[in-house]
Amino acid sequence: MDTFRASFVVLLVLLVTHCIEVKSQTCRPSGKIRGIKPPPGQCNQENDSDCCVQGKLYTTYTCSPPVSSNTKATLTLNSFQKGGDGGGPSECDNHYHSDDTSVVALSTGWYSGGGRCHNHIVISANGQSVRAMVVDECDSTMGCDEDHDYQPPCPNNIVDASKAVWKALGVPEDNWGELDITWSDA
């Protein structure tokens, strides 16, 4: 009977551990913020960037889906140059970066508090792959304020990429905007 109880306890511990692990891999919204109307000329709409809408509720996230060797994401277009729709200098190095350089911003959870700064990721789509350096966070926790160019928070599955990344993936310029991709750490 003691062997049965010991086996039961081991099974119970394994089951509880598995349930906790599965729960920890789930990324749920962390809250909402209410949009405010940007002051005239304060929302940079380069690359078809959205501006916050007065009163609209925007979902925020502190996490992103788990990273694997084939992480699914949405690629968006961003300018990392001074005056571009990316806003201020990049979080990783407080510098602007040329749109001719393969650089990206990752959603808050993937950005990992700067843990991926200056690391390269491999982005795959359209039968092509490109290496790009992480230089910024696509903020999923905040937005609709001056610091974020009055743009909404990023969804939790965004790889915001320079024009160089889009070109390397062979996407025709008239199709730039959003693209389903996979990515992994290089």
Side-chain angles (χ1 to χ4, degrees), residues 36-110:
I36 61 170
K37 183 178 180 183
Q42 294 297 305
C43 180
N44 187 333
Q45 291 186 286
E46 179 185 14
N47 300 321
D48 295 325
S49 293
D50 293 330
C51 293
C52 291
V53 174
Q54 179 73 35
K56 181 176 178 179
L57 289 176
Y58 295 95
T59 302
T60 60
Y61 294 88
T62 57
C63 58
S64 293
V67 175
S68 69
S69 61
N70 224 11
T71 307
K72 292 183 181 185
T74 299
L75 189 72
T76 55
L77 180 59
N78 187 48
S79 175
F80 295 85
Q81 296 184 154
K82 187 170 185 161
D85 64 325
S90 297
E91 289 284 325
C92 292
D93 55 17
N94 202 33
H95 289 98
Y96 292 99
H97 296 270
S98 168
D99 288 337
D100 296 326
T101 305
S102 293
V103 292
V104 297
L106 298 177
S107 292
T108 296
W110 291 334

Side-chain angles (χ1 to χ4, degrees), residues 16-39:
V16 169
T17 304
H18 177 72
C19 289
I20 290 170
E21 182 180 336
V22 168
K23 185 172 178 79
S24 70
Q25 292 179 0
T26 303
C27 181
R28 300 183 193 280
S30 57
K32 300 254 185 208
I33 61 169
R34 189 170 301 278
I36 61 170
K37 183 178 180 183

Side-chain angles (χ1 to χ4, degrees), residues 123-157:
I123 301 165
S124 300
N126 210 29
Q128 304 288 326
S129 291
V130 60
R131 281 174 51 98
M133 184 171 62
V134 177
V135 296
D136 209 349
E137 172 185 20
C138 190
D139 200 336
S140 304
T141 63
M142 300 174 62
C144 297
D145 58 13
E146 185 177 4
D147 286 345
H148 297 90
D149 271 352
Y150 296 96
Q151 295 173 359
C154 281
N156 67 342
N157 66 336

Side-chain angles (χ1 to χ4, degrees), residues 1-2 5 9 18 29 37 41 59 83 85 112 115 122 167 172:
M1 196 62 157
D2 287 328
R5 284 185 186 156
V9 169
H18 177 72
K37 183 178 180 183
T59 302
D85 64 325
S112 192
V122 176
K167 287 177 185 175

